[in-house]
Structures are given as C-alpha cells and as structure tokens.
Amino acid sequence: QAARTVAAQDKAATELVPGVFCVEQLLSSELCSALFSELENFERWAATSGFSVARPNSMNRYGTVLGDVGLQESMHAFMMEVIAPLAARLLPDLFQCSSELKPRCLRSQHSFLVRYRLGEDEGLKTHRDDADVTLNICLGKCFDGAEVYFHADPSLKCGDCASLAAPENDEFAYPHSADCRYCTLRHTHTVGTALLHQGKHVHGVDRLLSGERVNLVMWCRFRPYPSEIEPVSDLT
C-alpha cells in the first residue's frame, strides 16, 4: 500500500511544535513520483490543447486541482480512511463539539498540487487555509529553500504567548522577515513526509533559492461538499 496503516501513522507522528505534526514517509516514493508525473502530463496536455487550467486557490498560480484530473473520489477515500482517524487522534479537541454527543467528522476535501519554481511561484505569503485540517506532503523534486514556517499554535490563549498580543497586520507583514518574532518552526520538506495541522494555524513558505518543489495539499473540512461535486460513492 502507498500509505501506511492508520495505527502505524499514529505511532510515526511527531509533534514538531504545538499543533504541527510530522508523519515520515506517509506516501511511498513511487506514489509521489506518479502524482508528480500526473501534474507534468496534465500541464503539457493543457498547453498543447489550449485548455484553461483552474488553479488551486488565489495564492498559488501554478498547480493542479486533483478533482480536475479524475482523482476526486480517490482523495475523498484517502481523507476518510487515513487522514480523518489520524487527525482525530492528533487533534482531539478540534473534533469535539459541545452541542452534539458525537464528535465532528471530516466531510469534504479540496486537494491540489502546488509547484514552486524560479520565475513562477517562489514562495507563499503568510496566511491561514480555508480548511479545518490541512495535510501537506512533499512529492519532489530537488530544491533549496522554500521552507514552510509556522507561527504560534492558534489554540493558545494570548496569555500563553506574548507575541499574540501584537496587532494581527504585523503578524502578516510582507515580505516575511528572516527573524520573524512570531515563527515557532521552519521545516524543510522531504519527499513522502507529511505535515498535518489545523487550517487556521498561521503559516507560509519562504523563498525558493533553487530547483523545484511540488507538494500535495489537502484541505479537509467539517462542512459538506457543494451539491455539484458531491462524491458518487457514499463514503461518509
């Protein structure tokens, strides 16, 4: 199997800083290479056919929405069978709902590949994701720079972290400072290894220095899909 069993993933998960978890070799190098090749093939086809490619979001100008290449069902199954139980164990408070007896469940996902390359997207501004849980897996290639950085855990109260008391616009200043006082972690991606965190956890990507980095990003949400993209199979 490309992904390890959920039990194995839970044991392999390491909390790098509060709220940010690392799962080494969540995907095999073979699967990473296959997904990377899919992006390249799709980009070549789109260029020759004149097809207008829908980009993943307003911040990434290069990349592919996996639902557009026939992988919507596969990514939904991956969320339900792998990510959901893993995230529920690593972020238990996030899944609790005071108004209901049952814990909350992930119900939808937006999965896409992003590419950082000199002359294209070379970094990513400080931001939050439109997600409840984010999974970020490096697929390749060789690169220097483009480290992902994280600010303080959003579940901390202001009294737990003095930096959170500063004005929010200061935290989201651009360009991102190398000695940013909010940063608690800078992480260098390795192929097949995943980061898992709350979508509201403030983060960004430092400037790429050389090479090319491609990542699979999954935005997992408690809210349902829009009716037009509801999965055919009843996996929820």
Side-chain angles (χ1 to χ4, degrees):
Q1 294 181 342
R4 300 184 184 189
T5 64
V6 172
Q9 291 160 14
D10 195 37
K11 293 178 181 177
T14 301
E15 190 169 29
L16 302 178
V17 293
V20 180
F21 298 88
C22 177
V23 185
E24 294 186 4
Q25 294 303 301
L26 179 65
L27 297 184
S28 68
S29 58
E30 292 79 12
L31 183 54
C32 289
S33 178
L35 286 169
F36 188 89
S37 296
E38 189 68 23
L39 170 63
E40 292 185 320
N41 292 336
F42 181 72
E43 292 282 354
R44 281 194 292 267
W45 172 81
T48 56
S49 67
F51 180 80
S52 179
V53 178
R55 296 307 179 186
N57 54 66
S58 61
M59 298 184 71
N60 293 106
R61 297 177 299 154
Y62 300 88
T64 302
V65 178
L66 294 186
D68 291 347
V69 293
L71 294 176
Q72 178 73 1
E73 293 286 326
S74 297
M75 300 315 297
H76 182 84
F78 185 58
M79 177 187 72
M80 297 301 295
E81 298 172 14
V82 178
I83 300 173
L86 177 63
R89 282 202 273 271
L90 298 177
L91 299 167
D93 292 344
L94 182 64
F95 285 76
Q96 296 304 314
C97 183
S98 58
S99 62
E100 299 178 10
L101 295 177
K102 293 183 179 180
R104 295 193 292 178
C105 298
L106 295 175
R107 301 179 63 188
S108 65
Q109 52 77 33
H110 174 54
S111 300
F112 50 93
L113 303 185
V114 295
R115 183 177 73 209
Y116 298 96
R117 179 190 288 172
L118 295 180
E120 297 181 352
D121 287 336
E122 298 180 5
L124 194 61
K125 293 181 180 179
T126 306
H127 66 284
R128 296 185 180 97
D129 295 335
D130 182 18
D132 295 295
V133 174
T134 295
L135 187 81
N136 187 341
I137 309 174
C138 182
L139 305 181
K141 298 180 175 179
C142 296
F143 56 89
D144 183 30
E147 294 179 321
V148 59
Y149 59 84
F150 288 88
H151 290 184
D153 183 351
S155 65
L156 293 175
K157 296 187 172 90
C158 289
D160 297 322
C161 180
S163 67
L164 296 183
E168 185 174 278
N169 60 347
D170 181 36
E171 182 176 4
F172 289 82
Y174 181 81
H176 183 248
S177 173
D179 59 351
C180 172
R181 64 195 178 105
Y182 298 97
C183 280
T184 59
L185 172 70
R186 275 186 166 86
H187 174 80
T188 300
H189 280 288
T190 56
V191 174
T193 294
L195 294 180
L196 185 146
H197 58 88
Q198 290 190 53
K200 67 180 181 180
H201 202 139
V202 177
H203 61 288
V205 176
D206 284 325
R207 185 174 176 273
L208 178 75
L209 300 178
S210 65
E212 179 179 354
R213 173 160 78 76
V214 175
N215 280 52
L216 163 62
V217 179
M218 294 186 69
W219 287 355
C220 304
R221 298 153 172 165
F222 293 126
R223 65 181 185 264
Y225 291 101
S227 58
E228 64 270 19
I229 60 170
E230 185 73 29
V232 175
S233 56
D234 184 14
L235 295 171
T236 59

